Amino acid sequence: MTKHDKLLIIDFGSQVTQLIARRLRELNVYCEIHPYNKIDDALLAALAPKAIIFSGGPASVYWKDAPMPPKGVFDLGVPILGICYGQQVMMHLLGGHVEGGQGTAEFGRAYVTKSAADCPLLGGWFEDGAEQVWMSHGDHVSKIAPGFEVYGTSPNAPFAITADLSRQFYAVQFHPEVHHTPKGAKLYENFVKMAGFTGDWTMDAYKDQAIAAIRSQVGEKKVICALSGGVDSSVTALLIHEAIGDQLTCVFVDHGLLRLGEADQVVSMFREHYSLNLIHADESALFLGRLEGVSDPETKRKIIGGLFIDVFQKYAHTIDGAEFLAQGTLYPDVIESVSFSGGPSVTIKSHHNVGGLPEKMGLKLVEPLRELFKDEVRALGRELGLPASFIGRHPFPGPGLAIRCPGEITAEKLEILRKADAVYIDQIRKHGLYDEIWQAFAAILPMKTVGVMGDGRSYDYALALRAVTSVDGMTADYYPFTHAFLGETSTRIINEVKGVNRVFYDCTSKPPGTIELE
Ligand code: XMP
């Protein structure tokens, strides 16, 4: 969609291919990941990359139908960097040799030492002797291809770093993208510099290009957007609003499962501050009515997801002539990954989203964040003037407080939960801990317990407090608050929120727990 120098990552199925892309984007280099089995010489020519990286992968070059790059890749005349399996592919195809090996597999930390004259890939390396790298390979290169030289070795990888400088082909056995290779980022920096990248991928430049692209896609037509107030949908809406102004209408579906004051904040910020056309679809009575008496977590999620779509459609139909639907789809959602495991993965929780809506409503999609990672979306949000406190907010799930209220949802429980959650978050902010935590929230438990308050007996709800650190929400550690913090917070909640007489802290990591309680 937008124009900038492009680096192509050919994915051979490594678990960490996305990390390569992250390292490159941090260097302001635009890159795309394409699975090896979806790329042929024609696509290669169309992409016209300025450089190519072969990712790692779990296969062996000697497997029948082993993953290989398109045939013409070595004739493009662009620099190529092969990583782990990517190195083996390079050697195999260019006349070297790869062996599966007893006793030569290496998993984990290793130390590479310099073994030849300077290689431009290694600027900044070996200044203090050996460099720590992360190895994860079964096979290994046993003979390098003609034209290559060895520039670094480790005890189990005599060809840890190899290069053919005249053709600008570089190949390493280890993974420079993981943080266990502390100077890995430097290696990528050297590679892109040699390939002539100028670092033209900035959110400032992206914003202008994306606005131009939205204008040319949409023309004079109207766009509708489901705005939740989360970072992705907010940035999507603001970017499109900058591009086409009043041709955009946002629908904020208020399902009555939001946090204290949240609906007012979203409405006042977007409608008043940004002057966006915003429909506040207050359908809390409908949602809460349909959830009455429902306690099964999956049923709750399905009811909320289904109603959300119905409500959105109802309001969208009131906007005459809308032809486009805006969605905050991010790059990790569109990357096709190579799967070697086969078979469907187990559904732990059915996530709430608006997938399927465009076909149902006959709308075309506008997805201006499709090329971005989450932290790039945040940077773009800053470019668009969103306040830092808003951009740094913890994630909040689509089904909202419903999944923080295990069992049956009632208006009374939601009210207690909203107040308690507000006190808890206030505590975290006051202690300066908000930005250290990935996500923190209170949940109201489906039980009452006995307590003593003043001279009387109480029989009130118990609350669970949750706080986790995480990088992507896939795994998480519980946050180690001090006892003093927990004690103070518990006291404040019980004093300030009527209906709670007991507070627990959830010290389960993920796995085995999930972040949300349902
Ligand atoms: P779990 O509970 O599965 O959550 O460990 C991982 C992350 O996903 C968020 N989450 C959701 N986000 N719709 C969303 O948009 C959902 O249905 C949903 N369920 C969980 C959760 O808050 C955490 O950040």
Side-chain angles (χ1 to χ4, degrees):
M1 168 166 104
T2 47
K3 289 204 169 53
H4 19 255
D5 291 340
K6 187 184 297 167
L7 189 147
L8 166 66
I9 299 169
I10 300 185
D11 181 22
F12 292 113
S14 162
Q15 303 280 328
V16 288
T17 303
Q18 280 203 31
L19 283 182
I20 304 176
R22 292 299 317 119
R23 296 290 91 83
L24 294 165
R25 296 280 182 104
E26 280 156 20
L27 296 164
N28 296 335
V29 166
Y30 179 71
C31 57
E32 285 181 18
I33 300 174
H34 289 266
Y36 75 91
N37 52 357
K38 295 282 169 63
I39 188 163
D40 55 14
D41 285 318
L43 179 58
L44 200 56
L47 289 170
K50 213 178 166 77
I52 296 174
I53 292 180
F54 294 168
S55 85
S60 175
V61 291
Y62 290 113
W63 283 5
K64 185 173 167 292
D65 300 326
M68 290 292 153
K71 288 206 168 47
V73 74
F74 297 110
D75 303 324
L76 289 177
V78 301
I80 303 179
L81 171 63
I83 291 162
C84 197
Y85 178 79
Q87 179 192 45
Q88 294 163 12
V89 162
M90 230 186 212
M91 294 304 151
H92 177 72
L93 293 176
L94 294 173
H97 198 74
V98 178
E99 277 174 17
Q102 281 191 341
T104 54
E106 256 184 318
F107 295 96
R109 227 173 246 104
Y111 291 87
V112 174
T113 45
K114 185 173 174 174
S115 57
D118 290 343
C119 169
L121 186 69
L122 302 170
W125 272 47
F126 303 126
E127 282 166 352
D128 304 311
E131 295 289 357
Q132 182 189 311
V133 300
W134 190 256
M135 296 279 190
S136 180
H137 62 100
D139 292 355
H140 67 283
V141 174
S142 55
K143 181 173 148 261
I144 50 174
F148 278 78
E149 277 212 54
V150 182
Y151 291 92
T153 62
S154 79
N156 271 335
F159 305 118
I161 304 173
T162 56
D164 175 342
L165 299 186
S166 64
R167 287 189 287 178
Q168 289 201 287
F169 293 163
Y170 305 89
V172 298
Q173 181 61 80
F174 53 89
H175 288 270
E177 61 278 14
V178 303
H179 73 263
H180 299 290
T181 302
K183 283 211 198 150
K186 185 75 188 143
L187 208 142
Y188 286 115
E189 188 185 327
N190 294 334
F191 179 67
V192 299
K193 216 188 260 166
M194 288 183 300
F197 284 88
T198 54
D200 59 359
W201 177 251
T202 61
M203 285 306 107
D204 179 24
Y206 177 80
K207 186 181 107 183
D208 295 338
Q209 292 170 7
I211 286 173
I214 293 165
R215 285 187 184 138
S216 97
Q217 184 189 3
V218 170
E220 303 290 311
K221 301 290 187 323
K222 286 188 187 162
V223 179
I224 47 178
C225 175
L227 177 72
S228 69
V231 175
D232 302 343
S233 69
S234 300
V235 173
T236 302
L238 287 185
L239 187 65
I240 296 177
H241 185 244
E242 276 219 27
I244 57 166
D246 280 349
Q247 287 164 252
L248 170 72
T249 304
C250 292
V251 180
F252 169 51
V253 177
D254 182 348
H255 49 24
L257 299 159
L258 298 167
R259 289 163 292 189
L260 195 68
E262 193 167 5
D264 291 343
Q265 275 163 22
V266 171
V267 173
S268 75
M269 175 153 122
F270 289 95
R271 196 184 275 162
E272 278 140 43
H273 183 71
Y274 285 106
S275 309
L276 219 115
N277 280 334
L278 179 72
I279 298 175
H280 178 185
D282 182 355
E283 295 282 357
S284 41
L286 172 71
F287 279 84
L288 299 185
R290 288 282 291 279
L291 287 166
E292 209 177 302
V294 179
S295 53
D296 175 65
E298 276 300 293
T299 313
K300 279 179 173 175
R301 280 174 173 274
K302 296 227 161 82
I303 290 174
I304 297 168
L307 272 185
F308 185 95
I309 291 182
D310 294 346
V311 166
F312 181 74
Q313 268 185 297
K314 182 175 101 184
Y315 285 86
H317 283 312
T318 64
I319 303 156
D320 270 346
E323 287 192 16
F324 291 90
L325 176 75
Q327 273 187 354
T329 315
L330 305 193
Y331 193 47
D333 305 326
V334 298
I335 298 174
E336 283 186 80
S337 50
V338 182
S339 165
F340 285 89
S341 56
S345 54
V346 185
T347 303
I348 308 281
K349 295 175 184 180
S350 53
H351 266 217
H352 162 92
N353 59 38
V354 284
L357 252 186
E359 302 89 74
K360 226 172 148 182
M361 297 179 67
L363 295 169
K364 287 172 263 181
L365 274 180
V366 189
E367 297 179 295
L369 312 184
R370 269 181 83 85
E371 295 177 317
L372 308 185
F373 284 97
K374 187 83 178 183
D375 46 346
E376 293 174 320
V377 174
R378 294 202 177 98
L380 181 59
R382 283 190 285 275
E383 289 292 333
L384 290 162
L386 275 172
S389 59
F390 181 86
I391 288 171
R393 283 197 320 174
H394 292 169
F396 186 65
L401 299 181
I403 58 177
R404 297 177 178 176
C405 185
E408 198 180 329
I409 300 166
T410 64
E412 182 206 13
K413 282 189 190 170
L414 288 176
E415 163 119 7
I416 293 171
L417 178 54
R418 279 196 186 97
K419 288 184 181 153
D421 187 71
V423 174
Y424 178 40
I425 299 299
D426 182 57
Q427 276 287 101
I428 290 175
R429 286 200 189 275
K430 276 201 176 121
H431 284 258
L433 302 173
Y434 191 83
D435 294 336
E436 277 181 38
I437 293 171
W438 160 269
Q439 206 168 354
F441 56 86
I444 184 160
L445 298 177
M447 66 190 218
K448 286 190 168 182
T449 70
V450 172
V452 50
M453 286 167 112
D455 289 330
R457 173 188 189 272
S458 68
Y459 187 57
D460 281 329
Y461 284 106
L463 273 192
L465 303 182
R466 184 99 170 109
V468 296
T469 54
S470 177
V471 188
D472 51 15
M474 305 292 284
T475 58
D477 276 330
Y478 75 89
Y479 187 79
F481 287 123
T482 62
H483 284 278
F485 174 89
L486 289 172
E488 188 184 305
T489 306
S490 162
T491 304
R492 262 197 73 188
I493 289 174
I494 290 170
N495 286 346
E496 294 175 34
V497 184
K498 201 165 163 294
V500 179
N501 69 355
R502 197 175 291 270
V503 175
F504 296 106
Y505 184 57
D506 182 348
C507 50
T508 322
S509 291
K510 175 183 179 177
T514 51
I515 295 177
E516 302 290 346
L517 267 70
E518 284 191 339

